[in-house]
Structures are given as C-alpha cells and as structure tokens.
C-alpha cells in the first residue's frame, strides 16, 4: 500500500481541514505569515499540505468527510490569510497514531527550522514522557545528535521567566548555556539574566561572567563566613556583590545596570542606615515618668 492515497495531490476546502492537535509550534510570527500569504496570492501554495481523511456519520444518516492536518500548518494559516478557498493536499493512507502525528509535525518543523528553541524542547519532552523515547532515538528521528536533543531538553530546567524571555526573543538560545551554569544559584542566575537583557550582553560576555562566578564560588568554599556575608549583601541590595579577600583587607564590588539602578542602591543603603540610627536613638531615650 502506498504512503499517500493514489500518490496524487487533491484539492480540499480550507474550512474542512482541522489543525494537528500535536502541532509543537505555539508561536507563529504574524509578519512572516503575512509575507507568506502575499506570496501565496501571487504564486499559490507551491508545496502540498499533508492530511489524513476521516469519514463521519452525519445527523441525516449520510456520510461526511473531514481532514486533519499532519504537516503544513504555517501554509494553511497563510492560505486562509490569502483568502484561498482550497489548498493542495497529500492524503496519507491508513490510520495515523498520535505518535505518528507528533513525529511528522516535529520533523517537518525542524527540517524547516520553524520551531523556536522552547517549542522544540517541549516537543522533545512530549516524545520522552508520552512515548518513552530515549534521547538518541529522538535524534535519529529528526536527524540530530543525542547531545543536541539533551541540550534542547535542558532549556526546560530553567526558571519560567527565562523560558518566556527565550520564547519572546529577549535572549538567544546561546544565552541559556551560561544561565544553566548557575542553575543551583538562583539569585546569581537571575542577576546574570537581568544583565544580559539590560546590557545586551553577547553569549561570550555572559559565559565569561558565569565562569568567573563559578571560580570565585569554588575559591570561597574554604571560607564559609565570607560566602555568608556575600549572600547577605546580595539579599539586602538585590544585585550581585563580590567580595575579594586579599592578604591584608580586600575589596567589595557591587554590580549595577545603569545610573538609576545605582541611585536606587544608594537610596536603599541610606534608608537602611537612617532606619537603623532611628532605632538606636529611640532605644537610648529614657522612659517617661508619670510627672512628665
């Protein structure tokens, strides 16, 4: 039996095609869709969509037909924007399993590089959790290495605010590597993330900072008290603070993003100092007697 029904292209009404419930893509760039729609108006849909065909029992006893999309959702959306009534499709023979629908959707998107890093990671995650795929098995399916799959999945270990920033293109997939180096240090990870966004750090700059943090942390493990003081500074000021101990004395470095951030840090220190002095002065005031 052939893979596609009669090995032929059919024309199907757009409104009869249901979306693929296993479509891994969550975001579709509207600008790119409009550009594709403009192209479709001029040249038509140059590559057929892939669908399955299902016969349905109508209320009046007759038979109806609906189609479920397997691959080509971006083309289908653009065709709707272009106002097309019908699109060319290839109809797959036989019953399609949920796994096959997910596999085909993932493979098509990865081959076209249409998936965002987050969508790709979530698609791989579904294959591992719902269908018990091993990383090397997923790699074979999509033509990638096991390391590629494993590194993609590691993105999902990041905090949700970083995952959202990656989805919204505020940071790149490359930036996730230095951020994952600080996975067990959430405060420092958040501070580095803010620096990447605010200062527009490139990947190399972010990796340099992350490595420096890791080295400094390892060096300070011999002095737990120094680590605790540094952590107290970070918690109090809400930014990265580094303490460099020398033979005699040392140096405290406080990171800030811009002048407004620096002023806010100064105001926080002054405010805390003023409150502390006020508490001390109140404590030193003798209690009032009844005559007073």
């Amino acid at each position: 039996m052939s893979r596609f029904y009669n090995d032929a292209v059919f024309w199907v009404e757009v409104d009869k095609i249901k979306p693929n419930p296993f479509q891994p893509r969550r975001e579709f760039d509207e600008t790119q869709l409009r550009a594709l729609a403009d192209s479709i108006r001029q040249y038509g849909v140059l590559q057929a969509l892939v669908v399955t065909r299902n016969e349905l029992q109508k209320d009046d006893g007759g038979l109806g037909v609906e189609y479920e999309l397997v691959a080509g959702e971006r083309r289908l959306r653009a065709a709707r924007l272009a106002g097309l009534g019908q699109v060319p499709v290839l109809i797959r023979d036989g019953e399609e399993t949920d796994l096959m629908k997910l596999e085909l959707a993932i493979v098509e998107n990865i081959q076209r590089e249409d998936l965002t890093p987050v969508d790709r990671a979530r698609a791989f995650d579904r294959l591992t959790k719902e269908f018990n795929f091993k990383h090397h098995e997923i790699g074979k399916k999509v033509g990638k290495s096991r390391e590629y799959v494993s590194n993609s999945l590691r993105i999902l270990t990041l905090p949700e605010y970083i995952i959202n920033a990656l989805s919204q293109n505020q940071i790149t997939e490359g930036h996730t590597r230095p951020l994952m180096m600080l996975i067990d240090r959430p405060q420092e990870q958040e501070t580095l993330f803010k620096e990447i966004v605010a200062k527009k750090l490139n990947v190399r700059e972010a990796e340099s900072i992350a490595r420096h943090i890791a080295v400094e942390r390892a060096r300070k493990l011999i002095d737990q008290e120094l680590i605790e003081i540094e952590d107290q500074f970070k918690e109090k000021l809400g930014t990265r603070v580094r303490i460099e101990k020398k033979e005699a004395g040392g140096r405290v470095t406080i990171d800030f993003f811009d002048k407004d951030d620096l002023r806010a840090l100064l105001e926080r220190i002054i405010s805390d100092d003023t409150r502390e002095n006020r508490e001390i002065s109140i404590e030193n005031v003798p209690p009032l007697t009844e005559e007073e």
Side-chain angles (χ1 to χ4, degrees), residues 215-228:
V215 170
E216 284 295 303
R217 198 72 173 183
R219 185 175 63 81
K220 290 170 187 169
L221 285 176
I222 59 175
D223 192 339
Q224 186 62 34
E225 184 180 5
L226 199 64
I227 293 176
E228 292 174 356

Side-chain angles (χ1 to χ4, degrees), residues 36-73:
L36 181 57
D38 290 340
S39 173
I40 286 175
R41 287 190 191 97
Q42 293 185 60
Y43 306 107
V45 179
L46 300 181
Q47 183 178 359
L49 288 66
V50 179
V51 300
T52 57
R53 182 179 184 275
N54 302 309
E55 292 186 352
L56 302 174
Q57 190 75 37
K58 291 185 175 181
D59 294 336
D60 60 6
L63 287 177
V65 176
E66 72 172 9
Y67 301 87
E68 187 173 281
L69 190 65
V70 174
E73 182 156 345

